[in-house]
Amino acid sequence: MPELPEVETVRRGLLKIAKGRKINAIDVYYGKTITNDVEDFRQALIGQTIEDVDRRGKYLLFRFSNNLTMVSHLRMEGKYYNQPIGGPIDKHTHVVFQFTDGTELCYHDTRKFGRMTLVKTGDEKTVGGLKTLGPEPTAADFKLAFFQDELGRSRGKIKPFLLNQRHVAGLGNIYVDEVLWMSKINPEQPANSLAPDQAAVLHDNIIKELAVATKYKGTTVHSFTNAFGDAGGFQERLNAYGRGGEKCPRCGAKMVKIKVAQRGTTFCPHCQPLVED
C-alpha cells in the first residue's frame, strides 16, 4: 500500500496535470470505486474545476470549485495518470475525468480496492479513517509530548503501534521497519517500555525519514508509480525493509525477518535487541 511519501508524490504530480482543469465529462467503469451514488457523483462534478489537491495522511483531497471535496484513497494499487481524451484504457482503468482542455485524468487500480468519496468541503473527517487520523509527521504537527503520552498508554508492541494511524499519520510497513532500525528499537518492544530518550530519537527519525523518502519520490517495491508513470527512488536507500538474510548496513550482523502483527518485519537482532523488563 502506498505510504505517505508515495501519496504526497502523487499529489504533487496531480497539481501539474489536474489542478485548474475543468471537468467536461466523467466515465465510471467500475461503480464500486465511487462510494456515493454514481450518477449523483457525476452530476455534482461535471462543469466544476479542480482548484487544488491536498493530502491528509494517505488520503488525497481533490478540492472542487463548488465547495465539494473528493476524498481518494489509493489502497493497494491505485494510481492516476493523464493522457489526451480518447487515449487507450484497459480493464483496470475504472474512472476517467475528461477535461475541457482536451486531456483526461484516469484512475487505474488492478486490485479494485481504491475508493472515491464526495463530501462537502470541511466534512472530510466523516470519511473512513480520516475520523481518527493522528498528526501529520512534521515538526509543526507531531509533538514529542503527544507522542510520549501515546506511547505510555500502550502496552502493545511498537510496530503495530506505529502502524496505527491514530498515533501518527502516514506510516506503513516499509517506513516502520526503517525508523525502528534507525532508532535501534526492536519491533516487538512494548511501546510503553521505551525510555524518554528512545521516544525522542524515534519521534525525530519518523519526521526525518518520511521527509527524505518524499524527497526521493517514495519507494517502489511492487508497482507504485507517480502521476507521470515514474517509479520512486527511495528503495535504493532502504536499510531494513526487504533485507532479511542480508548483512546489517550498520553492524554487519545478519538481518532477520519475522512476522509482527501479521506483517513481514525485518530488523537487526544485534542493533535492535528486545529489552526485557
Side-chain angles (χ1 to χ4, degrees), residues 118-129:
L118 195 62
V119 297
K120 290 182 179 179
T121 298
D123 289 349
E124 300 86 358
K125 288 185 178 180
T126 64
V127 179

Side-chain angles (χ1 to χ4, degrees), residues 224-240:
F224 165 73
T225 57
N226 64 25
F228 302 101
D230 302 321
F234 194 69
Q235 64 274 8
E236 300 168 5
R237 294 167 175 81
L238 296 175
N239 291 300

Side-chain angles (χ1 to χ4, degrees), residues 115-264:
R115 293 294 182 265
M116 300 174 187
T117 301
L118 195 62
V119 297
K120 290 182 179 179
T121 298
D123 289 349
E124 300 86 358
K125 288 185 178 180
T126 64
V127 179
L130 283 170
K131 300 174 186 176
T132 56
L133 201 57
E136 291 289 308
T138 64
D141 292 337
F142 186 36
K143 301 301 183 182
L144 177 57
F146 165 83
F147 187 51
Q148 290 175 324
D149 186 58
E150 291 290 290
L151 287 167
R153 296 168 184 257
S154 176
R155 291 181 291 179
K157 298 174 182 179
I158 187 62
K159 175 154 186 177
F161 174 92
L162 293 176
L163 289 171
N164 187 332
Q165 302 297 294
R166 293 171 181 260
H167 302 131
V168 58
L171 284 169
N173 204 39
I174 296 173
Y175 298 112
V176 169
D177 278 6
E178 292 299 300
V179 298
L180 290 175
W181 180 87
M182 291 171 68
S183 307
K184 298 183 179 180
I185 296 172
N186 189 283
E188 296 189 292
Q189 192 71 39
N192 66 356
S193 72
L194 266 61
D197 60 333
Q198 287 181 300
V201 168
L202 178 58
H203 168 269
D204 291 351
N205 282 335
I206 289 170
I207 295 172
K208 182 189 307 180
E209 184 75 349
L210 292 179
V212 174
T214 301
K215 174 184 175 182
Y216 286 100
K217 301 181 179 180
T219 300
T220 294
V221 175
H222 299 297
S223 62
F224 165 73
T225 57
N226 64 25
F228 302 101
D230 302 321
F234 194 69
Q235 64 274 8
E236 300 168 5
R237 294 167 175 81
L238 296 175
N239 291 300
Y241 180 85
R243 293 188 176 276
E246 299 180 19
K247 290 184 178 181
C248 172
R250 185 165 46 212
C251 74
K254 186 177 180 180
M255 302 281 283
V256 173
K257 183 175 182 180
I258 62 173
K259 286 270 189 175
V260 180
Q262 289 78 53
R263 306 297 294 273

Side-chain angles (χ1 to χ4, degrees), residues 6-22 49-55 60-64 80-82 99 101 103 105 214 226-228:
E6 292 76 51
V7 178
E8 175 61 17
T9 299
V10 171
R11 185 192 75 84
R12 294 177 184 182
L14 287 166
L15 291 177
K16 297 178 181 180
I17 64 176
K19 182 178 178 179
R21 270 68 166 189
K22 185 176 181 179
T49 298
I50 299 174
E51 295 188 332
D52 209 349
V53 184
D54 295 328
R55 179 194 55 75
L60 293 165
L61 307 174
F62 290 74
R63 309 295 193 183
F64 287 94
Y80 287 96
Y81 67 93
N82 72 320
F99 298 135
D101 69 350
T103 65
L105 180 68
T214 301
N226 64 25
F228 302 101

